[in-house]
Amino acid sequence: MVITLDFASNVPIYQQVRDQIVQIIADGTLAPGDRLPTIRALAQEIGVNTMTVNKAYQLLKQDGYILADRRSGAIVADTLQQHGRLPGNLRDNLSLLIAEAKLHGVDETQFLEICKNIYRGDEL
Amino acid sequence: MIAKIILILSIFPVYLFLYFIMKKAGNFKDHSLFSVTLWPDAEQDPRLLSLQKKYKKQLFFVNLGALLLLILTIVPKQFSIAMMIWTLALWIMIVLYDVPYAIAHQKMLAYKTAYRLSQPETDVETHQYTYADLSAATAKKPAFFQTSSLIGALVGCLPILLIPILQKTLNHASAPEIWVQEIVAVSLAATGLFAAFLLRYYHRRPAAVLSMDSKINQQFARIQSYQWGRFYCVIIWMTALLNLFFLILFQWYSDALMSVLLIVVTLYCLALFIGLIAVFRVIQKEKEKLISGTEILQNDDDSNWIFGMFYYNKNDSNLMVEQKVGIGTTLNLARPGALIFSVVAILGGFLLSVGMSIWLLVSEFTPISLQYEQHTLTASHIREEYQIKQEEIESVTPISELPDLSRTNGTGMEKLLKGHFYCRTENRRYLLCLNPTTDSYLVVHTTDDKWYIFSGQEASQTDTVYEKLSKELPVHQESSTETNDLLYKKAPEHSISLQSGQQIHLSTTQQETYESVTICKIGGEMQTIGTLDSENGYSFTASSSGDYVIFSGEKDITQNVLIEYLSDDTDLPDTN
């Protein structure tokens, strides 16, 4: 469960933390019901302010990936795969991604192949 | 000369330590060299090998210069000048040892930039990757030897409480002042407590991320925690035992204090040094074992290392981080607390050591002053002044040779002995302010049973003061020709003035016989006559001009003795 952060990137650290945790949940390293580290422990481990981790956890909670409880801490939500549909903001992101892939000369077959590989975890 | 040799020998391990550390810093470590993370195939780059060679060559010459500078301390006669050279040499060396490293670091950065620009798909964006293990944040951190270290630190505090109790019950004359003992005890106890605090902090630090495999990272964290925990625990207990040892030393063997102190502290530092190297080696070995066959993750954080030695990262909230090269941890200077601590420690260390050398210099070159004016005996040196009023003086004894003394608290130099000293043969504590190169000293015993030994910068100054004193005060004259230890409790009421070479004949009236008769010059030597009666007279020739008194045992019999002047001077004796 190693996360990689780029402090020189334009992407805010809280966003990077949020994205990395999403990837860990998606690849099954963290299963529904698994406990996430406390905000303080994770902040100490990464070497950032607790507010940064708190913001990342807020985003994860907002997106429904984790359940946060004051007493038991944060746990991975167990209703993740029940929806079966892409939320609106992700659909928009995907549309933009497909458009950019087209501009780079990637055709539909190639694009779907890349998606399959990433989805299966080959290139994740 | 012995002091200077001790000085050189004491600094030698520091030089060796610095040289060893800096030489090791020139090796590849964790996929980096001179604090610069390597680029692909960099280890095969011939420029890097030549840079390493050049660095080690420069380091060798710096070391040679350091040794030559050290030898310079033998040249000056005065200890304080040697000490000043020694202190400055130490600081110059600490800086100079780092220069080749900083140069090599800058070169490495230039090579790395050149490599990146030479790549066909140059990544124009700079990255500063940091890895963190979520498992380490979730799991309980290993904390070996924490309790035993805390117990050790508390045991180390015991002497602080024991010193006043022992001082009160034993009351050894040889023991140094209580505040001196307490300063040593508090310093060592604080060292133990600080080490225990550091260990606690160390156990809470972020786990090092060596690999994407969390098990490897956790295993390495356990190894580090165990090894450093054991090292800290041993050091804390060693410090506690050292503190208890000093307690015993102060109370029972304080006359051998300085030599034992030097040996024990040197052994302590040596053990610390060996332990540090051993722990570092074990951890490196275990690390190599763990990461063999796996892909190593290396933080590309070159920009965070100023000259490759000082860590400065605003994005890192940690106060302490693992050294990129060398042993142990370093402070994150981007944190205000760490910056203030570093500046205070370095500046404080520098000012304290140089200040101490200057103080020694001033001490050695400032003459001692001894005077007796307005019925007060004053011995002074720089800002220290010992004043004894006439009515407080029980007796004054001139001596030409110092008793066998050992320093318990004070200054000991070639031309200066100042402070508290202990004489084992007499089981007595003396307060000294004298120049040991002269051959004239005054032992002063006060009414509150305190003993002092004073001298002027020159013997003549001491003699002048003694002459003044002897006219007003009770004197206890040291026998220079006899071993008879005559003690006068009262000033002689009568005396005879004699010129040098003047001869007199002493006898008594028919009824009187005196045993153990001596004739003494005030402030001079004493001559034994033996039994004196009317038949057994005694002829005496004055070796020098001055006032003479005649004693039978401790009784002044000057006025009871018949004196016949045998030399040309036929004047009647001038009897006060």
Side-chain angles (χ1 to χ4, degrees), chain B residues 69-314:
Chain B
L69 205 60
L70 197 61
I71 290 166
L72 263 182
T73 53
I74 298 176
V75 179
K77 272 185 178 179
Q78 292 82 0
F79 177 75
S80 56
I81 296 177
M83 187 72 188
M84 178 61 97
I85 296 173
W86 183 89
T87 310
L88 290 176
L90 184 67
W91 284 100
I92 290 168
M93 281 312 111
I94 288 171
V95 175
L96 278 186
Y97 269 124
D98 298 329
V99 173
Y101 192 85
I103 295 169
H105 172 76
Q106 294 304 113
K107 273 254 164 101
M108 278 293 290
L109 284 178
Y111 290 159
K112 193 171 178 177
T113 312
Y115 168 80
R116 284 165 84 171
L117 293 172
S118 71
Q119 294 306 297
E121 284 180 27
T122 306
D123 188 358
V124 285
E125 271 184 61
T126 52
H127 297 284
Q128 200 186 315
Y129 292 120
T130 299
Y131 303 97
D133 199 327
L134 281 190
S135 310
T138 317
K140 197 184 170 198
K141 290 200 179 285
F144 295 103
F145 299 102
Q146 203 149 277
T147 316
S148 45
S149 297
L150 193 67
I151 294 168
L154 292 174
V155 169
C157 293
L158 282 178
I160 299 173
L161 305 171
L162 290 174
I163 286 168
I165 299 167
L166 284 178
Q167 191 77 2
K168 217 171 181 182
T169 49
L170 298 170
N171 198 22
H172 280 296
S174 59
E177 300 276 296
I178 194 162
W179 65 268
V180 177
Q181 294 183 50
E182 283 289 4
I183 283 178
V184 175
V186 169
S187 308
L188 284 171
T191 308
L193 287 170
F194 184 64
F197 165 77
L198 273 183
L199 179 63
R200 199 175 155 80
Y201 190 85
Y202 183 80
H203 284 320
R204 288 179 176 185
R205 85 211 181 283
V209 183
L210 303 176
S211 152
M212 291 302 278
D213 187 345
S214 288
K215 278 183 187 168
I216 291 178
N217 298 333
Q218 281 180 353
Q219 181 65 17
F220 184 61
R222 284 181 69 82
I223 291 167
Q224 273 190 312
S225 181
Y226 180 81
Q227 293 296 336
W228 284 117
R230 191 173 57 175
F231 173 74
Y232 272 97
C233 186
V234 170
I235 291 299
I236 288 165
W237 273 100
M238 261 173 63
T239 312
L241 292 176
L242 194 70
N243 212 355
L244 289 166
F245 175 74
F246 280 161
L247 180 79
I248 295 165
L249 195 73
F250 284 148
Q251 294 298 331
W252 285 280
Y253 306 101
S254 64
D255 49 333
L257 191 70
M258 288 298 162
S259 45
V260 176
L261 204 93
L262 200 74
I263 294 165
V264 171
V265 171
T266 308
L267 286 175
Y268 176 84
C269 292
L270 205 69
L272 199 81
F273 173 66
I274 293 168
L276 202 69
I277 301 290
V279 170
F280 180 69
R281 284 202 167 169
V282 169
I283 291 176
Q284 272 302 107
K285 223 173 177 181
E286 293 288 337
K287 188 179 184 177
E288 279 161 21
K289 244 193 256 175
L290 276 172
I291 58 175
S292 64
T294 57
E295 196 190 337
I296 311 157
L297 294 177
Q298 177 64 46
N299 289 357
D300 194 355
D301 59 349
D302 302 341
S303 57
N304 294 334
W305 293 91
I306 303 164
F307 295 127
M309 287 172 278
F310 308 106
Y311 185 71
Y312 185 93
N313 185 2
K314 279 185 176 175

Side-chain angles (χ1 to χ4, degrees), chain A residues 1-10 21 24 30 35-38 41-49, chain B residues 126-138 141 204 206-207 209 211-212 214 217 315-318:
Chain A
M1 281 206 292
V2 175
I3 60 170
T4 311
L5 302 170
D6 184 0
F7 280 94
S9 166
N10 291 327
I21 293 176
I24 288 171
L30 278 175
R35 198 175 298 278
L36 282 163
T38 61
L42 186 57
Q44 201 178 5
E45 210 60 36
I46 303 169
V48 293
N49 198 295
Chain B
T126 52
H127 297 284
Q128 200 186 315
Y129 292 120
T130 299
Y131 303 97
D133 199 327
L134 281 190
S135 310
T138 317
K141 290 200 179 285
R204 288 179 176 185
V209 183
S211 152
M212 291 302 278
S214 288
N217 298 333
N315 295 317
D316 192 347
S317 66
N318 287 305

